[in-house]
Every structure is written in C-alpha cells, then in structure tokens.
Amino acid sequence: MGMMPQPSQAQNSGGVELSIVLLCYRAGEQVIPIVKRIEALCEELTPDWQLVLVGNYHDGSDDNTPDVVRDVAANHPRVLAVVEPKLGMMGWDARSGLDVATGKYLCLIDGDGQFPTESIRACFERIRGGGVDLTMTFREHREDGWLRKILSAGYNGLFPLFFPGIGCRDVNSKPKVFTRAAYGRMALQSDDWFIDAEIMIAVRRLGLRFEQIPTVFRPLEGRSSFVHVWTVMEFLANLVRYRIREFRR
C-alpha cells in the first residue's frame, strides 16, 4: 500500500460541515465546469463547505489535470488541491482526498461528469436529516455503453453472492456521502478500483445504516472508459481476497 500524499496547499485548520472529494484523474479541463456546478450547489446547501480536487498523476504522462487542478484551487479559497505522483489507482486517489478533507460529512464523487451534481444534494440532505451513516445513489437509468451496463450488472450480481444480506443495488455508484465517524471506522485500504466495494463491505461488517437514492448515469465524454477486461479480473480477485479476509476477522 502506498503512502498517502500531502495536500498541495494549506489545509483548512477547522472542520467544515460538508467536504466533497472530486476524483479528477485525467479529467483535464472538464473539471472546470464541474467545479462551477458544485460550488453553486454547495452555496445552496450549506455556508460551510470544502471541495477537494484529487489530481494525482503518473510520472511522465501527458495528463494536464494536475495543472488544471492547481489553477482552480489557487483561485478558489474553499477548494483544496491534492496533486501527487500516483502510487495506486482510484482507491489510492479516493483515500488521499478523504484523508485531508475536514468535513463532518464526506462526499466522494467522480470528476468525469457522469453522475449529476444534483445527486450530491439528495444524498447530503438525506444524511443530514439523521438516522443513516451513509447515503449513495443507484443508477436507475444509464446512458453509457452496453459493455459498461453488462459489466455493472455482473458486478452487482456477484457482490451479494460473496457478501449476502447487505441489499446494495449498485455497489460502484456515486456519490457516496458518509459521516466522518463512519469513515473513521471503515479503515479503508484499497488502492485500486475496488474502493467502492470495500466501502460497502465495511458497511456490512460494521452494521452501518445506509440508504440508496436513484440517479441518472450520463454518457462519458472526452475520453474512453477506464473499465476494461483486466478491471473485471481485478474485481473478481478482490472479491475472493476480501471474502477470505472477512472470514478471518
């Protein structure tokens, strides 16, 4: 497991009510309009918010996301940039952002624009009302390609066979919003694409209360999907590995 990166600008010393961690890997300039939408939404939700942009990168790549993320953060006092050479994939990015976020409620969402920012409102308002430790979406309607739909159906069919009883309709869906206390108890370790499933495995193990809210999943624009055959194999291997780990607890 890689060491966690340090934020590229000073962290807010005091906690805020809502921290949104936006995973920006290879998103480039697409981040800019998404940040604007999230900022406008946050101003409606709470006067006390923070946006963490995770722009970690592979050394030697042509990815301009680190520069975009730094520029956005430099001009927005409520925005924090995390920009470091990558020692892992999505899980490492997610943990690096969540670990510097200061919010009472922590929101994790992808930065490619497929999940509508309004989904953050629904999840935040529900968890803010109390009675649950985590809120998340499920993709009631999908506008992405047939391959992603098939793979997602496979993931969600296999997951309850290995981890029965949780009742999660869409393991990999975002945003996921959880309380700081719940995140602290999860002790997440995943460095790869399994991070969403690991969150739900922790929810099951800890007996956390969660609620699912429908959303629309938009088509991916500007780049190809990161989900490939090797991602499927990695997911299957992780299901077995985490199932064994849960037996040993």
Side-chain angles (χ1 to χ4, degrees), residues 207-233:
L208 301 178
R209 299 158 296 177
F210 76 102
E211 189 164 312
Q212 302 164 91
I213 299 168
T215 193
V216 172
F217 195 54
R218 295 168 176 160
L220 181 63
E221 298 178 355
R223 64 165 175 81
S224 60
S225 173
F226 296 136
V227 179
H228 302 288
V229 173
W230 67 266
T231 316
V232 178
M233 301 306 295

Side-chain angles (χ1 to χ4, degrees), residues 21-25 27-28 30-31 34 109-114 223:
V21 176
L22 189 69
L23 303 178
C24 302
Y25 176 58
Q30 282 185 303
V31 168
I34 295 172
I109 188 169
D110 298 330
D112 55 18
Q114 288 191 272
R223 64 165 175 81

Side-chain angles (χ1 to χ4, degrees), residues 90 139 150-163 168 170-173 176 190 192-201 227-243:
M90 186 173 73
R139 289 167 283 193
I150 291 172
L151 293 177
S152 184
Y155 293 159
N156 289 310
L158 284 171
F159 186 80
L161 298 180
F162 285 81
F163 300 96
C168 182
D170 194 353
V171 173
N172 290 335
S173 191
K176 287 182 171 72
S190 178
D192 56 23
W193 307 102
F194 200 68
I195 187 71
D196 284 298
E198 187 188 15
I199 290 171
M200 300 317 297
I201 291 168
V227 179
H228 302 288
V229 173
W230 67 266
T231 316
V232 178
M233 301 306 295
E234 180 183 88
F235 185 85
L236 291 173
N238 276 322
L239 278 177
V240 174
R241 184 161 59 93
Y242 275 81
R243 180 66 272 180

Side-chain angles (χ1 to χ4, degrees), residues 97-155:
L98 290 167
D99 284 348
V100 302
T102 63
K104 176 182 177 181
Y105 302 104
L106 305 173
C107 172
L108 181 65
I109 188 169
D110 298 330
D112 55 18
Q114 288 191 272
F115 291 105
T117 54
E118 276 297 315
S119 295
I120 297 173
R121 179 195 300 275
C123 290
F124 174 63
E125 289 181 344
R126 175 62 192 91
I127 199 169
R128 194 188 204 184
V132 293
D133 304 291
L134 180 146
T135 53
M136 61 180 290
T137 63
F138 66 90
R139 289 167 283 193
E140 186 175 49
H141 177 68
R142 299 183 64 133
E143 299 174 357
D144 53 343
W146 63 268
L147 179 60
R148 288 289 302 275
K149 292 177 183 178
I150 291 172
L151 293 177
S152 184
Y155 293 159

